[in-house]
Amino acid sequence: DIIPIDYCVNMLISVGWYTSIITKQVDTPLIYHCTSGSKKPYTWLQLGTLMLEFFQSKEPFNEVFRRPDVNFATNKLELEYWKTISHWIPAYIADGLSKVMGKKAIMLRAYDKVHRASKTFTFFTKREWTWTDGNCNMLMSKMSDIDRKVYNFNVHDIIWRITIPTTSEEQRNTS
C-alpha cells in the first residue's frame, strides 16, 4: 500500500484529538489504518512508471551510466535474466573500459549495492495485505468540515500525478 506521508501525519494528529475526547469511553485502544488499498489502490508498477515519466520530463539524465527503466519480473528466472542483461553485462563492459582507461571500476560494486537494497523491499513488494479503514472513516465522520479540510487524510483526494512529483521536488529542495 502506498500513501503520501502527509495523509498519515494528518490522520495521526486527528487520532490524537479524537483519543483525547473519548479516553474514558473506550476500554481498548482503537486501531487506525491509513491505507489507500481498499479505496484507491496504487501499484508499484504505477508508481515506478510515474516516477520514470517525472524524471524523464523534469530531471535531465546528464552524466548517467544508463537511462532508468521500470520492469517488474514475475518470477526469479525472469528477474535474473533482466539483471544479467540490464545490469551485469553493461557493468562488466563499463568497468572493463574504465580499467583500460586507467580509471576506477565502480559499476559492478554499484549494481551489487542496488541489488542488495532491492532485496530489502522484496518482502513488501511480493506480498499483498488487505487493511480495514473503518476507524479512519469513523474518525473523519467525527471531524468538522474545516478540520477535515485542514487535516485531510481522505485517500479519495489523492491525485498521484500531482502528489508524487511534488513530494520528489520537496525532498530535493530540502536536501
Side-chain angles (χ1 to χ4, degrees):
D1 211 36
I2 303 168
I3 192 153
I5 190 68
D6 52 335
Y7 281 71
C8 300
V9 170
N10 287 343
M11 188 204 65
L12 285 171
I13 291 168
S14 303
V15 166
W17 161 77
Y18 187 65
T19 302
S20 71
I21 292 173
I22 63 152
T23 306
K24 293 182 172 87
Q25 300 171 15
V26 179
D27 293 332
T28 59
L30 297 174
I31 305 298
Y32 299 86
H33 296 292
C34 192
T35 178
S36 64
S38 63
K39 292 181 181 173
K40 196 168 187 173
Y42 203 69
T43 66
W44 285 105
L45 182 59
Q46 289 171 307
L47 176 65
T49 303
L50 179 62
M51 292 302 295
L52 189 59
E53 289 171 13
F54 169 75
F55 284 112
Q56 286 174 342
S57 65
K58 302 275 186 191
E59 294 288 326
F61 291 121
N62 298 333
E63 301 178 26
V64 295
F65 174 63
R66 296 186 61 235
R67 297 209 179 264
D69 195 11
V70 176
N71 290 307
F72 289 93
T74 57
N75 60 60
K76 286 184 180 184
L77 182 62
E78 182 184 3
L79 176 64
E80 291 306 317
Y81 170 80
W82 284 114
K83 281 169 45 175
T84 301
I85 297 299
S86 297
H87 296 175
W88 294 127
I89 291 173
Y92 275 107
I93 292 169
D95 281 356
L97 290 172
S98 292
K99 286 183 180 182
V100 168
M101 295 187 315
K103 296 183 178 182
K104 186 176 180 182
I106 60 169
M107 293 313 301
L108 285 169
R109 188 167 169 234
Y111 274 122
D112 185 53
K113 286 181 179 182
V114 167
H115 294 154
R116 279 188 279 134
S118 70
K119 281 182 184 177
T120 62
F121 293 117
T122 301
F123 180 82
F124 301 100
T125 58
K126 298 290 182 193
R127 289 173 173 75
E128 229 176 271
W129 291 275
T130 303
W131 306 101
T132 59
D133 58 357
N135 285 340
C136 284
N137 296 333
M138 177 274 304
L139 178 60
M140 273 191 276
S141 73
K142 302 290 184 183
M143 296 168 67
S144 70
D145 290 340
I146 293 171
D147 285 344
R148 272 196 302 274
K149 187 173 182 174
V150 172
Y151 302 105
N152 184 23
F153 56 92
N154 185 349
V155 296
H156 287 296
D157 297 337
I158 299 171
I159 302 170
W160 290 110
R161 289 209 167 275
I162 295 170
T163 302
I164 299 295
T166 301
T167 304
S168 299
E169 289 170 4
E170 288 171 359
Q171 288 174 348
R172 192 175 51 257
N173 292 335
T174 58
S175 54

